[in-house]
Amino acid sequence: MSAAGGSRSGGAARPGHMPVAEHGLIGDLRSAALVDSNGTIDWYCCGRFDAPSVFASILDADRGGSFELGPDASTHTKQFYFPDTNVLITRFFADDGVGEVQDFMPVVDDSREADRHRLIRRVVCVRGSLPFRARVAPRFEYGAQPHAVQVQRGQALFESPSLTLALTSSVPVEVAGSDVWSLFKLHEGESAVFALDRVGADVSPRCCPLSEAEEQFNATVGYWRRWLSQSRYRGRWRETVHRSALTLKLLTYAPTGAIVAAPTTSLPEQLGGERNWDYRYVWIRDAAFCVYALLRLGFTHEAEAFMGFLSEHVCLRTSEETGLTGPLQIMYGIDGRRELPERELSHLGGHQGSAPVRIGNDAVHQLQLDIYGALVDAIYLYDKWGQPISSAHWDDVSVLVDWLCDHWDQPDEGIWETRGGRKNFLYSRLMCWVAIERAMRLAQHRGLPADTLRWARARDAIYRRIMSRGWSAERHAFVQHEDGDVLDASLLMMPLSKFISPTDPKWLATLDALGEDLVSDSLVYRYDPQASPDGLRGEEGTFSICSFWYVEALTRAGRLDEARLAFEKMLTYANHLGLYAEEIGHTGEQRGNFPQAFTHLALISAAFNLDRRLG
């Protein structure tokens, strides 16, 4: 993305809470870090997305920990990604010169054996001369665990009971309490390097001279460009689509093939509200939608890796274990673990004072029937666009569909994970229909064994139930749940999933009703929590995946001018790097965990389909 966005900063100041949108993301397919537009790393979990944080000042400026790096002078900053990569550049413009920090995490290789996790920060003075300041202040275990620091042989070791990090610097550093700092000056053409390594029994500290940093910079750039070159998208919004694809790739966990919903926890959906959740896990729905988006662009390896995650790490529950909750959970840990106990970290104040900070997620125990449709559809598309699925995968699909035939008509918590009680949500019914219908297509195409008569009876029963009890004559629209009159943006998936024709009169009436009730200048609310209580206090912003679904629904309905305008408007709400959180607030601010896979995968789908229809 082109350089954009900026701020004024005095280089010696401690970081406060930068807005969510003032960040870029770097990563190595195992963990990720957020770098704000002043050059401070204020979120980093070392080695794994779901590991306890090392830097978390985005959640508590005093107790969370951070890695500051930038000019020790008043500057104006701009951030951009090195073209076609996930290498982040923060540029500083001062009275006496121009400098930049190049942030990246080398992708050592794509194998399961890569143990070294390294974060590299290169500082370059590109014009004039500038004084720089660095302050490395890790706070282990979400800021709850003490650590010791020592400097030896040009390296600083931060040692805690659970983790040891080694900081290598090409400039001298000094210890101040539990932190390390450095003041240094660079002239035009000069550079400095800071490298942070996880060390342990199998990985010893090693230095990172300027030449090695240069090599790893070039290798990292080469990795991302080789990966992106697989994209088949050549449409109007190529740069935007490719940034979303690169972001989705950053959210994949190479050791298992897992795909996380977001790399952060507890970034609030409303400042001061309680809607703060941990998204560093594998939602079956979100991951399956990611597979669809990446397959659309020609990336088959990620789909294959996710199929491997399902095979190796997701054990379907037996009939004795499931009860009425189904063979699948809605989410899993990145290693496939089932238990994700939710707890609050009361010692952290939360982003801009928005407590509580939560780790874990109790929604893991919810029943959300729509996940079966998302997953079976992704498997169907992988078989169509990637590789034929294995016999073991077909056995699992058959188990899921057989279970759905008996349980599709029970109430659940739904796609939005409401904590206000189960209902007969239309979207859940819709995706049950998708699961059965796609499985039937797959069985017919491949000649696979299936109880197609039973499956067809269930599929047709779901269709009739939606058309009779999901339609409100009073609202002249399909509605959120049976025998109600509340609208819900998830209904936008009805034509997208090929359940109903995009020009069916009932659907067009619903599209108009959604536009009147839930759309605000292209932005779409997922539902009205006042009309449909979800068990939580506070208000909602607009939900960005729904805004892109709206673009696609308009596209499929043939309303291309409206669709294109809505899409272009949505692009203006991205941050300066083309990244999106989960929601957008009343003044256009990003809300929720960041960046959010859901939003970026929907952007890809909307752009792909709109571009194709525009010709």
Side-chain angles (χ1 to χ4, degrees), residues 431-584:
M431 296 307 286
C432 288
W433 178 91
V434 168
I436 300 171
E437 196 274 341
R438 298 303 191 269
M440 291 180 66
R441 282 198 207 184
L442 191 50
Q444 183 176 11
H445 173 67
R446 293 277 309 282
L448 296 168
D451 191 349
T452 51
L453 290 178
R454 179 179 180 232
W455 292 4
R457 283 195 299 269
R459 177 200 62 186
D460 296 347
I462 297 171
Y463 179 89
R464 295 189 184 100
R465 178 85 163 257
I466 290 174
M467 299 304 286
S468 61
R469 296 178 61 179
W471 172 260
S472 169
E474 182 179 339
R475 292 302 307 270
H476 202 55
F478 290 104
V479 290
Q480 183 184 63
H481 56 83
E482 291 182 3
D483 305 318
D485 59 3
V486 176
L487 297 181
D488 190 305
S490 64
L491 305 177
L492 291 163
M493 282 293 291
M494 294 180 76
L496 275 55
S497 64
K498 297 181 169 58
F499 175 86
I500 194 169
S501 164
T503 56
D504 186 289
K506 282 189 171 182
W507 170 248
L508 293 178
T510 302
L511 185 58
D512 288 339
L514 291 169
E516 293 171 7
D517 277 28
L518 297 181
V519 179
S520 172
D521 189 42
S522 83
L523 299 176
V524 181
Y525 293 93
R526 53 182 175 174
Y527 56 87
D528 180 357
Q530 301 302 316
S532 179
D534 56 14
L536 296 166
R537 298 185 301 273
E539 64 178 19
E540 285 237 312
T542 57
F543 218 68
S544 293
I545 188 174
C546 300
S547 301
F548 287 118
W549 283 349
Y550 184 58
V551 169
E552 193 164 346
L554 289 171
T555 299
R556 291 173 185 257
R559 293 158 61 172
L560 298 183
D561 287 343
E562 292 177 67
R564 186 167 189 177
L565 180 59
F567 185 75
E568 294 288 358
K569 284 182 176 179
M570 269 303 296
L571 297 186
T572 69
Y573 289 102
N575 84 337
H576 56 288
L577 298 166
L579 304 181
Y580 290 87
E582 186 172 41
E583 299 185 11
I584 294 172

